[in-house]
Amino acid sequence: MKYRNVGKSGLKVSEVALGSWVTDLNGTDAADVARRTVDLAFDNGVNFFDCADAYSGGAAERFFGDVLARFPRRELVVSSKVYFPTGPGVNDRGLSRKHIFESCEQSLNNMKLDYLDLYYCHRFDETCDLEETLRALSDLVSQGKILYYGVSEEWGGARLQEAQRIIERLGLHPLTVVQPQYNLADRYIEHEIMDVCARLGIGITTFSPLSQGLLTGKYRKGRPIPEGSRATWQADRQINDMLTDENLDMVERLIEVADGLGVNLAIMSMAWILQHPQVSCVIAGASKPSQLENNIKASGFVIPDDAMAEIDRITGFQRFERHVG
């Protein structure tokens, strides 16, 4: 496993991180599989474990708290997030100072930790003044309850730059990291966010590297959807909406490139993200140890320039030369 700094901070994370967004914790057998997956991750050099208070109604945090307690705390980088409702009250949501402080305390209790390494705003809160949010996060750093803070989805380049202006004006602890969705099927952050992050020294920890399973190669054009896959879940319309002829044609062409490199599509898709120097890591879920074993092979795998160019042609994107001062 290789490691990278999170932006200009001194914090180092494994290139492949383990996320808990879709971890199945229902039943003893499922929890045992999840526990073995975490053990395998740690044994293979994964040091970054990503969670959120909204995942499984807090059960994901409590699970991580129980499992990670067996490992030396100094060897772990643990994150959580704040924004989504944690109760029925009008203040049990959003990015107010009250909700941030209370949610952080609950996350620490759930995970049996004295501090979180990374703490993200899960979404943007249009009902709360941005200065209030940033002051609260900076104060948590001063209190030692979090070491670094950042943001996730709905924070475009303009919002990041506005946050930076407030931070500089008030002398707050810096915004260190963003966690956007980024994969071969969704490259929106290349248009603006990557440049802003490079200019401000903000790290990028991406999630959904396999586009909900689209980039694993399990969904093939003209073939039935595999039994038990996410596309068979009645409530999971997101993956079904992505199984268009256009996307499946793209997958077929990408598989040819991966085959030529001697790896499967999932490994190539994750390695492609890591080819971007501004990316600190890819956060991937794993429902079983075998998936994790495959994911970690992406760390250190280098895709040749000609294959990178072919991937750009397949995905319909032009690579931009960036000169960031």
Side-chain angles (χ1 to χ4, degrees), residues 173-230:
H173 291 288
L175 191 156
T176 300
V177 63
V178 300
Q179 187 183 125
Q181 177 169 286
Y182 184 49
N183 55 58
L184 281 166
D186 189 354
R187 299 176 57 169
Y188 80 98
I189 70 170
E190 294 180 21
H191 296 306
E192 175 185 291
I193 292 177
M194 276 190 168
D195 277 347
V196 172
C197 287
R199 196 160 58 246
L200 300 180
I202 297 173
I204 303 175
T205 59
T206 67
F207 75 93
S208 194
L210 302 179
S211 190
Q212 313 300 319
L214 175 69
L215 298 171
T216 63
K218 71 172 68 174
Y219 305 114
R220 304 290 296 272
K221 190 170 185 179
R223 301 185 189 181
I225 294 175
E227 287 295 325
S229 65
R230 290 191 63 186

Side-chain angles (χ1 to χ4, degrees), residues 25-46:
L25 300 173
N26 294 316
T28 303
D29 291 343
D32 182 62
V33 170
R35 189 174 295 104
R36 287 190 285 112
T37 302
V38 174
D39 288 346
L40 181 67
F42 183 79
D43 291 342
N44 281 273
V46 173

Side-chain angles (χ1 to χ4, degrees), residues 104-167:
C104 181
E105 200 65 39
Q106 185 60 59
S107 291
L108 291 174
N109 290 335
N110 286 343
M111 304 180 84
K112 302 176 183 177
L113 297 173
D114 295 325
Y115 66 91
L116 291 166
D117 298 274
L118 295 169
Y119 199 44
Y120 297 91
C121 296
H122 215 157
R123 293 292 187 273
F124 185 82
D125 186 356
E126 296 185 356
T127 72
C128 182
D129 185 74
L130 181 55
E131 182 176 317
E132 176 180 340
T133 296
L134 295 171
R135 281 186 182 272
L137 292 167
S138 182
D139 285 347
L140 286 176
V141 175
S142 295
Q143 294 171 13
K145 293 186 176 181
I146 64 176
L147 302 186
Y148 307 90
Y149 68 89
V151 300
S152 187
E153 291 281 83
E154 299 179 357
W155 290 75
R159 285 173 172 167
L160 291 173
Q161 291 178 93
E162 175 61 19
Q164 180 66 19
R165 286 190 288 270
I166 293 172
I167 289 166

